[in-house]
Amino acid sequence: MNEDERALSSQIASIIGEECGDDCAIIPPPSGEFVISTDMLHETTDFPKGMTNWQIGWMSAAVTISDLAAMGSTPRYLLLAIGTDNPDRVMDIVRGAHDCCTRYGVRYIGGDLDAHTECTIVSTGIGEVACGSAVRRSGARIGDRIGIVGIPGRAEAGLLGCCEFLQYLLEPKPLVAEGQALLHAGATAMMDISDGLMISLLDLAKASSICCTIDLDLIPQVSGASLPEKQCRDLAWYGGGDFGLLFTIPPSHIDNIAKKDINEVFFIGEICTGEGVVSSCGDQIHIRGYSHFSS
Amino acid sequence: MNEDERALSSQIASIIGEECGDDCAIIPPPSGEFVISTDMLHETTDFPKGMTNWQIGWMSAAVTISDLAAMGSTPRYLLLAIGTDNPDRVMDIVRGAHDCCTRYGVRYIGGDLDAHTECTIVSTGIGEVACGSAVRRSGARIGDRIGIVGIPGRAEAGLLGCCEFLQYLLEPKPLVAEGQALLHAGATAMMDISDGLMISLLDLAKASSICCTIDLDLIPQVSGASLPEKQCRDLAWYGGGDFGLLFTIPPSHIDNIAKKDINEVFFIGEICTGEGVVSSCGDQIHIRGYSHFSS
């Protein structure tokens, strides 16, 4: 870190209200255990054209807070490593990340600054859960119902130019309260669907060594988008960038979800023996890979 | 993460021996408290030409483990976000980082993979210390002696082509045992000197609101380097990339250090009232900024 970076670091400290002076930030022990996640984002593939620096900061924090939410944890701390071509961008990026942290009760405790030809940000988040209670991908059991929170495809609809969905693309909202509510409702497995719904179902099927059987008609689709029907279906199946949650829950616990008052919950299928993702007619569903915003 | 990245992620899991399947890694509560640090490194400024992928991985882990060492902590966990232009590089980078983690008793618990035009790696490390015992930069007190561990300038001498110092540049060794020993010996302040000795002294002076008075003749210099004397002095004062430690300790505790059997300890000055860094003749010392390997 050179002198200019040191000056910037002092300005950052004044925004986030932390000292940032030491080699490390210090965090007190949790009452339960910690979960931790790190995510790399960069300009060409992750920050759509026209995105403001504030939005870049918000998204960088949100993507990691979403990972913490998907374990059912309470997000606690965030670090941000910022590499940028232009130091004038840093403060707005920091403000965006700090505003996102504040919104979700997270302490932005430090990070790193670097000069980089392409704006590149790595956020690392730490959340807290009661020992042994984090909801993993591997917990789905035969007979569990498969649910999602949120309508998949909205972020990519925004990318395709549907203005009414731009907020989902540019200022995504991690489902923190929803993740915690699903943990307490008795969810057996959970993950976010930021890579797309179908590939997330496949990830969950592999992790739990089961088959996800999906009633395709039950998958909600973006409405009001000025797009052909087939494209709306593709957005719902494969669209990335949404911060929805995918979860499984035993039928006996489904009533708990209604009591938790979670918005936009959709049940789309059931966990069966086997592997992969199939339709309720028994057809294998084609899974398309998702590579950020370029596919 | 697309399908290729998922396949790579599985290979990584087989090397590091962790599942990597969830949105987050889970870490049990510490017996004390945690310290955490994140560092961004990238090809053009941090990885000298000719560095192997294994060495890139080693250095990426080592730079963060050094930050954990500088707080006197026991390094515990590491996450690595790897962005690379060529997926064939990933496994050797992972092996290098994993070998470094294994050497220092650290669990490499996960990370992120990304395609990036320039190889960019962000490592995040977590260490553990007894509550309230982390050695910060702000703890130096009037009358404390100023010490360093390691001979500063060796990494940059390697960069200048002195082959005998190449190992300090390419495979730096974080001073983990030394950091812990200094904590237990009663060090009042500590940091690593990877940005260079003089700028680190200035950082410590600012953080502790004191003046570092340095006996310039006591600063050790690289020997055996085929470089002019003036350049050897500059390397010692300003050279970056070394993983030595800078610390302060009350005179009454200095004998503890001898008992800890730490190699290459040099006492170079004393903490006084005032600010900045001055020679023992009272001259203000010019502090030159350090910007990775480019300055």
Side-chain angles (χ1 to χ4, degrees):
Chain A
M1 190 175 280
N2 62 23
E3 285 163 14
D4 291 341
E5 288 163 351
R6 281 174 162 74
L8 262 179
S9 182
S10 294
Q11 290 180 50
I12 291 173
S14 72
I15 289 180
I16 69 175
E18 302 278 338
E19 285 181 35
C20 299
D22 280 293
D23 293 86
C24 299
I26 299 175
I27 51 182
S31 56
E33 62 192 358
F34 280 134
V35 297
I36 182 165
S37 179
T38 194
D39 291 278
M40 178 179 285
L41 302 179
H42 55 115
E43 193 111 49
T44 51
T45 54
D46 297 297
F47 305 139
K49 277 193 181 143
M51 197 173 205
T52 67
N53 290 318
W54 185 92
Q55 288 169 332
I56 285 174
W58 175 284
M59 176 181 270
S60 300
V63 69
T64 293
I65 293 174
S66 179
D67 284 335
L68 303 176
M71 307 289 287
S73 79
T74 303
R76 293 279 191 223
Y77 307 102
L78 191 99
L79 295 105
L80 215 61
I82 304 173
T84 174
D85 49 337
N86 177 359
D88 292 343
R89 302 179 66 174
V90 171
M91 298 316 291
D92 276 346
I93 291 171
V94 167
R95 282 187 195 97
H98 185 249
D99 287 347
C100 186
C101 285
T102 302
R103 166 67 185 77
Y104 294 99
V106 173
R107 262 181 65 197
Y108 179 168
I109 54 173
D112 193 18
L113 281 177
D114 203 356
H116 203 301
T117 49
E118 182 186 347
C119 181
T120 303
I121 303 184
V122 174
S123 62
T124 302
I126 296 183
E128 191 175 333
V129 285
C131 287
S133 74
V135 190
R136 311 186 65 155
R137 297 182 184 183
S138 54
R141 297 290 172 261
I142 310 298
D144 284 355
R145 299 288 298 279
I146 301 169
I148 57 175
V149 186
I151 297 171
R154 289 191 285 211
E156 202 142 325
L159 189 70
L160 293 174
C162 303
C163 297
E164 65 271 42
F165 299 113
L166 264 182
Q167 59 168 315
Y168 296 98
L169 177 72
L170 300 177
E171 296 174 25
K173 309 282 186 294
L175 301 180
V176 172
E178 292 82 351
Q180 291 170 18
L182 287 167
L183 178 155
H184 292 297
T188 48
M190 189 155 56
M191 61 186 294
D192 79 8
I193 59 161
S194 55
D195 283 353
L197 174 59
M198 286 301 177
I199 202 161
S200 299
L201 283 163
L202 182 62
D203 285 338
L204 190 138
K206 283 182 180 170
S208 293
S209 302
I210 47 72
C211 171
C212 293
T213 303
I214 305 300
D215 186 336
L216 300 174
D217 294 332
L218 295 179
I219 298 176
Q221 293 183 11
V222 291
S223 61
S226 49
L227 298 167
E229 193 179 336
K230 165 75 166 61
Q231 196 165 16
C232 287
R233 196 214 68 173
D234 275 6
L235 287 179
W237 286 27
Y238 305 120
D242 288 298
F243 281 29
L245 295 173
L246 165 66
F247 66 96
T248 60
I249 192 163
S252 57
H253 289 61
I254 282 182
D255 285 349
N256 294 342
I257 291 180
K259 292 177 206 150
K260 299 286 181 188
D261 199 23
I262 309 173
N263 287 328
E264 294 190 341
V265 176
F266 305 93
F267 287 97
I268 60 170
E270 188 176 351
I271 299 296
C272 302
T273 54
E275 60 183 31
V277 186
V278 300
S279 76
S280 42
C281 309
D283 298 331
Q284 201 77 28
I285 295 173
H286 173 67
I287 307 292
R288 203 161 72 195
Y290 171 69
S291 182
H292 306 285
F293 296 111
S294 61
S295 66
Chain B
M1 190 176 280
N2 63 22
E3 285 163 14
D4 291 341
E5 288 163 352
R6 281 175 162 73
L8 262 179
S9 183
S10 294
Q11 289 180 51
I12 291 173
S14 72
I15 289 180
I16 69 175
E18 302 280 339
E19 286 179 35
C20 299
D22 281 292
D23 293 85
C24 299
I26 299 175
I27 51 182
S31 57
E33 62 191 358
F34 280 134
V35 297
I36 183 165
S37 179
T38 195
D39 291 278
M40 179 179 285
L41 302 179
H42 56 116
E43 194 111 47
T44 50
T45 53
D46 297 296
F47 305 138
K49 277 192 181 142
M51 198 174 204
T52 67
N53 290 317
W54 184 93
Q55 287 169 333
I56 285 174
W58 175 284
M59 176 182 270
S60 300
V63 70
T64 292
I65 293 173
S66 178
D67 283 335
L68 303 177
M71 307 289 287
S73 79
T74 304
R76 293 278 190 223
Y77 306 102
L78 191 100
L79 294 106
L80 215 61
I82 304 173
T84 173
D85 50 337
N86 177 0
D88 293 343
R89 301 178 66 174
V90 171
M91 298 315 291
D92 277 345
I93 291 172
V94 167
R95 282 188 194 97
H98 186 249
D99 287 348
C100 186
C101 285
T102 302
R103 165 69 185 77
Y104 293 99
V106 173
R107 264 180 65 198
Y108 179 168
I109 53 174
D112 193 17
L113 281 177
D114 203 356
H116 203 301
T117 48
E118 182 185 347
C119 181
T120 303
I121 303 183
V122 174
S123 62
T124 302
I126 296 182
E128 191 175 332
V129 285
C131 287
S133 73
V135 189
R136 311 187 65 154
R137 296 182 185 183
S138 53
R141 297 291 171 260
I142 310 298
D144 284 354
R145 299 288 298 279
I146 301 170
I148 58 175
V149 187
I151 297 170
R154 290 191 285 211
E156 202 143 325
L159 188 70
L160 293 173
C162 303
C163 297
E164 65 270 42
F165 298 113
L166 264 182
Q167 59 169 315
Y168 296 99
L169 177 71
L170 302 177
E171 298 174 24
K173 308 282 185 294
L175 300 180
V176 172
E178 292 81 351
Q180 292 169 19
L182 288 167
L183 180 155
H184 292 296
T188 49
M190 188 154 57
M191 61 186 294
D192 79 8
I193 58 161
S194 55
D195 283 353
L197 174 59
M198 286 301 178
I199 201 161
S200 300
L201 283 163
L202 183 61
D203 284 338
L204 190 138
K206 283 181 179 170
S208 295
S209 302
I210 47 73
C211 170
C212 292
T213 303
I214 305 299
D215 185 335
L216 300 174
D217 293 334
L218 295 180
I219 297 176
Q221 294 183 10
V222 291
S223 61
S226 49
L227 297 167
E229 193 179 337
K230 165 76 165 59
Q231 195 164 19
C232 288
R233 195 214 68 172
D234 275 6
L235 288 179
W237 286 26
Y238 305 120
D242 287 298
F243 281 29
L245 295 173
L246 165 65
F247 65 95
T248 60
I249 191 164
S252 56
H253 288 62
I254 282 182
D255 285 350
N256 294 342
I257 291 179
K259 291 176 207 152
K260 298 287 181 187
D261 200 23
I262 309 173
N263 286 328
E264 295 190 341
V265 176
F266 306 93
F267 287 97
I268 61 170
E270 189 175 352
I271 299 296
C272 303
T273 54
E275 60 183 32
V277 186
V278 301
S279 75
S280 42
C281 308
D283 298 330
Q284 201 77 26
I285 294 173
H286 173 67
I287 307 293
R288 204 161 72 195
Y290 171 68
S291 182
H292 305 288
F293 295 112
S294 61
S295 66

